[in-house]
Amino acid sequence: MNRFKSKKMKVLITGNMGYIGPVLVRHLKMTHPNIEIVGYDIGYFANCLTGVDYLPEVLVDKQVFGDVRHFPPDLLEGVDTVINLAAISNDPMGKNYEEITYDVNHKACVEIAKMAKRAGVRSFVFASSCSMYGAAEDFPKTEDSSLNPLTAYAKSKVFSERDLEPLADSSFVITCLRFATACGFSQRLRLDLVLNDFVAGAVASRKLEVLSDGSPWRALVHVKDMSKAMEWASFRTHENGGNFLAVNVGSNSWNYQIKTIAEAVSEIIPDVSLSINKDAPADKRSYKVNFDLFSKLAPNHQPEFDLVKTVKELESGLTEMNFSDTDFRNSNLIRLKVLNRLQEASLIDSQLVWKLT
């Protein structure tokens, strides 16, 4: 019998008020009704709601606002699993806030893991990234492949995995989920993700503009399938994968070139014109990924979404919220734009600390 259904389990999620958090919380509550969830988030994107008229955190048993750089250890009392989502979450933000990226994504992550181990937490789940493979050869990257992180964001994930590994033992199981590029609808949708961006352009203007030459490879994974993987990792024991596990999360069938993704969107959504900037400088961030290990270890938590299903879901969600912003790349659905506007309004400082008091 699953131990998480035999007693009330307590899970703490850092960064729960972003793109992934609302989907993850709903998934955990649906699959494990007895679970107790504590959210911890700084709240930058709390008002970036999409397709919903209520705060998704109504499903959280306790919501705490705070900065992971100053995490309160007493919040870990009685916690069974920590899921660490908190991060400066993409390459453009990492470029603008490089030092903060390392402080939040790496240093704070490792410190929280150390606190969790001291507090008797059983499991630590880290949202890592396939971006750490960087510029890769044509063959799909496995977990044993060499790492070639090209950005502060990718490097922060490599550093975190490196420093988390020595903390793991049979009573403190650590799982690093190297996610493919996220996609799919959320109650806090992001449009600074490749597939989401393409569908948004198609819906808003019937135009799909690829800013690169379209040649780089990306693996994709739906945010709901990411949630399934985090559920599996939260309940994983050291018998299934060892005390420390870094595993690619996605599907072998979801390795695509950017231009192929764009062409698929333009075919699925009617009357969409497609333009690709063939003269753009080559994007070195290109990699195919092998997901065989995840398929072997988590056969009951495999991805269910494919490209066609995800495009249609995004189109439906955007249409239902009457999305028509042709300038969406400058909107609050782009995370870097939100941070910039909070700074311009003097609500956060240069270190991304709230100035409200």
Side-chain angles (χ1 to χ4, degrees):
M1 183 171 66
N2 190 321
R3 65 170 62 83
F4 279 72
K5 292 185 178 180
S6 64
K7 73 184 188 76
K8 190 174 181 70
M9 299 303 296
K10 187 174 182 180
V11 175
L12 184 141
I13 305 173
T14 67
N16 68 296
M17 299 180 75
Y19 171 57
I20 300 169
V23 181
L24 173 61
V25 168
R26 177 174 290 275
H27 175 78
L28 291 175
K29 285 291 188 179
M30 289 179 64
T31 54
H32 301 273
N34 292 328
I35 207 165
E36 178 184 352
I37 298 177
V38 177
Y40 186 83
D41 196 287
I42 199 165
Y44 298 139
F45 312 114
N47 70 334
C48 299
L49 298 174
T50 47
V52 66
D53 294 324
Y54 61 89
L55 280 175
E57 288 66 45
V58 296
L59 296 180
V60 173
D61 297 279
K62 180 180 181 181
Q63 181 65 53
V64 180
F65 290 94
D67 190 326
V68 289
R69 292 170 289 184
H70 307 287
F71 186 84
D74 59 334
L75 207 58
L76 293 163
E77 183 177 350
V79 169
D80 298 284
T81 295
V82 172
I83 302 177
N84 189 72
L85 296 177
I88 303 298
S89 58
N90 64 14
D91 291 337
M93 286 197 288
K95 183 177 180 180
N96 272 41
Y97 305 106
E98 185 168 346
E99 182 179 349
I100 299 171
T101 294
Y102 291 123
D103 287 344
V104 171
N105 297 14
H106 169 222
K107 294 179 183 177
C109 167
V110 175
E111 284 306 309
I112 291 172
K114 291 177 179 177
M115 293 180 204
K117 184 172 183 176
R118 288 194 294 267
V121 173
R122 185 195 65 84
S123 176
F124 188 88
V125 180
F126 174 54
S128 192
S129 172
C130 286
S131 66
M132 61 175 58
Y133 296 120
E137 299 86 353
D138 283 342
F139 63 87
K141 290 297 193 178
T142 71
E143 291 78 4
D144 295 325
S145 297
S146 59
L147 304 178
N148 187 21
L150 300 177
T151 64
Y153 172 77
K155 290 174 184 177
S156 73
K157 299 298 185 179
V158 173
F159 297 158
S160 294
E161 287 194 13
R162 177 197 66 195
D163 293 343
L164 286 171
E165 185 170 6
L167 301 178
D169 57 36
S170 59
S171 60
F172 188 60
V173 175
I174 296 178
T175 310
C176 300
L177 300 173
R178 294 179 180 174
F179 286 118
T181 300
C183 60
F185 202 81
S186 162
Q187 293 167 314
R188 285 196 181 87
L189 182 63
R190 283 176 54 188
L191 296 183
D192 49 10
L193 296 160
V194 60
L195 180 58
N196 296 3
D197 172 284
F198 289 171
V199 176
V203 170
S205 63
R206 298 296 161 183
K207 295 179 181 179
L208 201 166
E209 298 176 328
V210 182
L211 302 180
S212 72
D213 68 359
S215 63
W217 286 85
R218 290 287 188 279
L220 301 175
V221 64
H222 194 286
V223 66
K224 289 181 180 177
D225 290 328
M226 295 171 73
S227 299
K228 288 173 58 179
M230 285 183 276
E231 176 204 356
W232 167 78
S234 298
F235 307 157
R236 186 181 74 86
T237 64
H238 68 276
E239 289 92 351
N240 184 26
N243 299 338
F244 176 86
L245 174 66
V247 59
N248 298 331
V249 176
S251 171
N252 289 333
S253 62
W254 271 66
N255 281 296
Y256 292 107
Q257 282 183 288
I258 298 296
K259 60 185 177 182
T260 305
I261 300 171
E263 289 164 355
V265 173
S266 67
E267 291 174 3
I268 295 167
I269 300 178
D271 303 319
V272 172
S273 64
L274 170 62
S275 64
I276 298 176
N277 186 3
K278 296 180 181 179
D279 297 324
D283 186 346
K284 294 181 180 180
R285 298 170 301 165
S286 181
Y287 45 85
K288 300 176 188 177
V289 185
N290 178 290
F291 300 101
D292 288 349
L293 180 60
F294 180 61
S295 179
K296 176 184 176 181
L297 294 175
N300 297 323
H301 292 79
Q302 291 301 294
E304 296 181 4
F305 278 79
D306 59 19
L307 183 57
V308 173
K309 187 176 180 180
T310 303
V311 170
K312 290 182 176 179
E313 181 217 41
L314 282 164
E315 180 190 19
S316 175
L318 288 167
T319 301
E320 287 179 10
M321 55 184 275
N322 298 313
F323 180 78
S324 60
D325 184 3
T326 58
D327 193 33
F328 66 87
R329 286 173 177 156
N330 288 307
S331 76
N332 278 356
L333 298 182
I334 306 296
R335 294 300 189 247
L336 178 58
K337 299 297 181 181
V338 177
L339 295 183
N340 289 345
R341 287 177 180 132
L342 289 173
Q343 283 191 313
E344 290 166 4
S346 296
L347 295 173
I348 58 175
D349 64 20
S350 61
Q351 296 301 304
L352 306 186
V353 174
W354 288 106
K355 296 169 61 177
L356 300 178
T357 55

